[in-house]
Amino acid sequence: MLFLHGPVFWVWALVPLLGYAAERLVQTFLRGRQPIKVVHASFTPNYQGVKKKTSIGVLHFQFQPVERSSWTRMKEGMYLYLNCPGVNPAEWHPFTISSARDDLFANTTMVEKTTGFEVYRVPDKDAKRANRKPRFLRVDKLFTDSSVKEDDYLERHEVDYLDYVSCHIKVSYRQNSWTRRLHAYLRDMAGGRNHMTADTELFKSYYNPKFRDEGIIPYSCFFSNYDERGDLQIGKETDVCAQPIIRIDGPHSAPSEHYMQYKTVMVVGAGVGMTPCASILTALLKYRWRKGQAPEILHFAWVCAHEDLEGFEWFVHMVTDLCYRLKTARALEAQNLRGAGEGCRINAFAQYYCEINIFVTRAPKEGQEFRPLKHPKHNYAAEAQINGVEPDFDAEQLFRALQQPKTSSKKWKDILGLDRTADSAEAAPNRFGDVFIWSGRPQWDDIFKQLRFAMEYPHIGVCFCGAPVIGNDLARCCRTYSREDLPGFEDTRDCRFMLHKENF
């Protein structure tokens, strides 16, 4: 057939080839020309992946678009195309955005411009000096018992808000892969800016000299530059060859962005497919719920293989921080309600429900040695003194539980119950605040039964990113448990599960 249609092949190939060429030209010369400032780049090795020759670690970088007008339509779950001219000017790769929209437009975190370390505004205890210029102090100095010197304080022009868009990229083990070359390019750019110098404890915890010859060296680099007026600004646009460090084509729509259409949503991620789910989790717990926005009920599920846990330390820290923020917000709301008296509702934070379930597959038996967190856990002592709220757990405790989960996922129904009010859930051994740790694959039928039985709103959104096999299970359950004639669920005939999935 190929030889039979060969003479007229160009007739059928002309239109799609022209469309492909037009798309590449528009991407390279129009959409990919927006100026981008790289703010931060860091690399966390995953030595378990190195031993299996699958991945050498996770590359995390943050950037700021100089012109933000095209980013106002950004939603959580979207993706972008990334190009690095220093690696290959013609090669573009898609990556999911792992940050929330308001991390770019409404982030309240402030950092030191030269180092990127987070800073806190120091309250002035002297009422007579309340109108003087504010001063700031780095978090690592604020949370230590050592005395603070006058030179340690920073003025307002030395700090700035950290607005960013972020991506987390799994770096392939193959030497000539694009992600491996991108990692090497950013590592070389870090140079003297690398905060993980050889004499720091953080570098020593990540560094393994056995893999130095392969270029598997941890780094964390914060970029800044001087503008035309000589003022220091966060971010850097070009490299030493005066070419853009990165080029971005995006953001582009993806199925998970529809999560905000529902009052109840279940967000499911598998492995590295958790990145769009992480952006949704950040958006709800850090921003949207503070504004009284939907969804009101969040069921978050992450399925991860045990050998991949080392590459997701960043997510462990993120979950720990977001859960503490949520607990603090609830405590402050309750305090405000008590002060305002009965019948006055200041904030509706109590209407929101969050349940985070992490399923660790192929977990080893008990007796294996625990791997400590390489990145130090955040110290909430000073914050607890200010707001009076103690964290339910820290990142180290959560990471240890993930390495050796003791509760089988088959006990889901026994522990949580169909209506989420079982007494066993409060004292469950696998519970850390709003987080539950399970060993084994999710029992999707039990999970969907619980969601339908405890239904508060008829339409439930299911957003998924991950392997097709899990996507197929979710599609089956959405069809099955959306049936009106499902036995035992006559009171919830109008329940509908709406699936939004993307596979990789």
Side-chain angles (χ1 to χ4, degrees):
M1 297 296 292
L2 176 63
F3 292 102
L4 181 63
H5 294 285
V8 294
F9 172 75
W10 66 272
V11 176
W12 307 101
L14 182 61
V15 173
L17 287 177
L18 287 176
Y20 173 76
E23 167 67 19
R24 292 302 302 270
L25 290 173
V26 170
Q27 182 181 66
T28 303
F29 296 104
L30 292 180
R31 297 200 306 258
R33 288 297 181 180
Q34 56 178 312
I36 299 293
K37 294 195 298 184
V38 176
V39 175
H40 177 258
S42 63
F43 173 72
T44 306
N46 179 6
Y47 296 114
Q48 296 295 321
V50 174
K51 292 177 182 178
K52 295 189 176 183
K53 297 185 178 182
T54 56
S55 170
I56 66 171
V58 175
L59 175 64
H60 173 218
F61 74 92
Q62 300 170 340
F63 65 88
Q64 287 181 355
V66 176
E67 299 292 337
R68 302 187 184 183
S69 57
S70 62
W71 289 83
T72 55
R73 62 184 180 87
M74 172 185 166
K75 299 177 183 177
E76 291 77 26
M78 286 186 167
Y79 72 99
L80 53 80
Y81 284 96
L82 174 64
N83 169 261
C84 180
V87 175
N88 189 331
E91 199 168 351
W92 294 80
H93 292 270
F95 295 101
T96 306
I97 299 172
S98 59
S99 58
R101 179 188 183 276
D102 283 342
D103 282 332
L104 177 62
F105 294 99
N107 197 356
T108 58
T109 301
M110 301 190 75
V111 296
E112 184 181 9
K113 289 183 178 180
T114 55
T115 64
F117 286 115
E118 184 178 353
V119 299
Y120 271 50
R121 179 171 178 174
V122 180
D124 198 336
K125 298 180 181 179
D126 189 351
K128 296 180 180 180
R129 298 184 178 183
N131 294 326
R132 75 176 186 178
K133 294 181 179 180
R135 295 195 302 174
F136 301 85
L137 195 63
R138 275 172 42 174
V139 173
D140 58 339
K141 296 183 182 295
L142 184 65
F143 294 156
T144 57
D145 297 329
S146 59
S147 59
V148 178
K149 301 177 182 178
E150 186 64 25
D151 294 340
D152 293 331
Y153 290 99
L154 302 170
E155 301 296 334
R156 179 61 180 88
H157 69 274
E158 298 177 287
V159 301
D160 202 354
Y161 288 104
L162 181 62
D163 301 328
Y164 66 89
V165 180
S166 70
C167 289
H168 286 80
I169 300 174
K170 187 176 182 180
V171 182
S172 173
Y173 180 83
R174 293 186 297 109
Q175 287 285 352
N176 293 326
S177 66
W178 185 84
T179 55
R180 187 74 179 263
R181 287 179 290 155
L182 176 65
H183 150 66
Y185 173 75
L186 294 176
R187 180 194 65 209
D188 295 339
M189 278 201 63
R193 300 185 182 91
N194 189 1
H195 299 317
M196 289 191 192
T197 54
D199 58 342
T200 60
E201 293 298 325
L202 184 57
F203 181 89
K204 294 175 183 177
S205 64
Y206 280 120
Y207 179 59
N208 189 330
K210 185 168 61 175
F211 301 105
R212 179 180 178 85
D213 294 338
E214 299 183 44
I216 306 175
I217 302 174
Y219 61 84
S220 178
C221 176
F222 187 81
F223 296 94
S224 58
N225 72 304
Y226 290 93
D227 60 16
E228 296 178 354
R229 294 188 298 268
D231 295 331
L232 185 64
Q233 302 293 337
I234 291 178
K236 187 176 178 62
E237 288 189 48
T238 59
D239 59 12
V240 293
C241 299
Q243 61 181 350
I245 299 175
I246 61 170
R247 292 190 294 174
I248 299 294
D249 173 17
H252 297 291
S253 296
S256 296
E257 71 179 68
H258 300 290
Y259 78 96
M260 60 184 67
Q261 299 176 0
Y262 304 93
K263 293 293 187 67
T264 302
V265 65
M266 180 170 70
V267 181
V268 183
V272 75
M274 175 268 302
T275 48
C277 307
S279 68
I280 295 174
L281 185 66
T282 302
L284 292 179
L285 273 61
K286 191 176 178 181
Y287 299 108
R288 293 184 63 85
W289 285 359
R290 294 179 181 273
K291 302 176 184 178
Q293 297 175 339
E296 295 180 6
I297 301 174
L298 170 65
H299 296 270
F300 186 94
W302 177 40
V303 185
C304 181
H306 183 272
E307 58 267 22
D308 295 333
L309 286 174
E310 191 175 3
F312 289 99
E313 281 192 17
W314 64 271
F315 183 67
V316 174
H317 286 285
M318 191 194 79
V319 169
T320 304
D321 183 65
L322 290 176
C323 287
Y324 180 69
R325 287 175 180 266
L326 179 61
K327 183 179 180 180
T328 302
R330 288 170 174 168
L332 293 178
E333 178 197 14
Q335 183 179 359
N336 292 336
L337 288 174
R338 286 194 299 267
E342 297 182 2
C344 180
R345 193 167 190 175
I346 298 177
N347 189 3
F349 223 97
Q351 69 179 312
Y352 295 110
Y353 176 82
C354 175
E355 181 183 291
I356 301 174
N357 293 277
I358 303 179
F359 300 88
V360 182
T361 60
R362 298 196 291 272
K365 297 180 180 179
E366 295 185 10
Q368 293 206 6
E369 183 179 357
F370 287 103
R371 298 191 303 272
L373 277 173
K374 296 184 178 67
H375 195 283
K377 62 183 181 182
H378 183 73
N379 187 353
Y380 293 100
E383 296 176 50
Q385 290 180 0
I386 297 173
N387 53 45
V389 180
E390 295 287 342
D392 291 322
F393 59 93
D394 59 35
E396 189 71 48
Q397 293 172 326
L398 184 61
F399 193 57
R400 286 176 66 91
L402 288 172
Q403 292 181 68
Q404 203 168 91
K406 298 180 180 180
T407 305
S408 173
S409 59
K410 296 180 181 179
K411 297 181 180 180
W412 168 283
K413 184 169 59 177
D414 299 332
I415 292 179
L416 294 183
L418 282 178
D419 56 357
R420 299 200 307 269
T421 60
D423 295 335
S424 57
E426 292 295 330
N430 64 329
R431 181 170 187 171
F432 296 83
D434 296 312
V435 183
F436 292 85
I437 309 296
W438 307 92
S439 175
R441 299 178 182 276
Q443 305 298 307
W444 294 118
D445 287 285
D446 291 341
I447 294 174
F448 274 81
K449 286 179 183 178
Q450 182 200 67
L451 289 175
R452 176 154 179 176
F453 186 85
M455 179 196 75
E456 294 189 22
Y457 301 100
H459 291 172
I460 301 176
V462 181
C463 300
F464 169 72
C465 180
V469 61
I470 299 179
N472 294 336
D473 288 340
L474 292 174
R476 175 187 60 81
C477 288
C478 286
R479 291 192 300 268
T480 301
Y481 294 97
S482 294
R483 289 168 43 197
E484 295 184 3
D485 58 346
L486 191 66
F489 294 91
E490 289 78 9
D491 295 337
T492 56
R493 290 179 178 273
D494 57 343
C495 180
R496 295 293 182 273
F497 290 93
M498 315 297 290
L499 179 62
H500 306 270
K501 71 171 183 175
E502 53 181 316
N503 299 327
F504 62 85

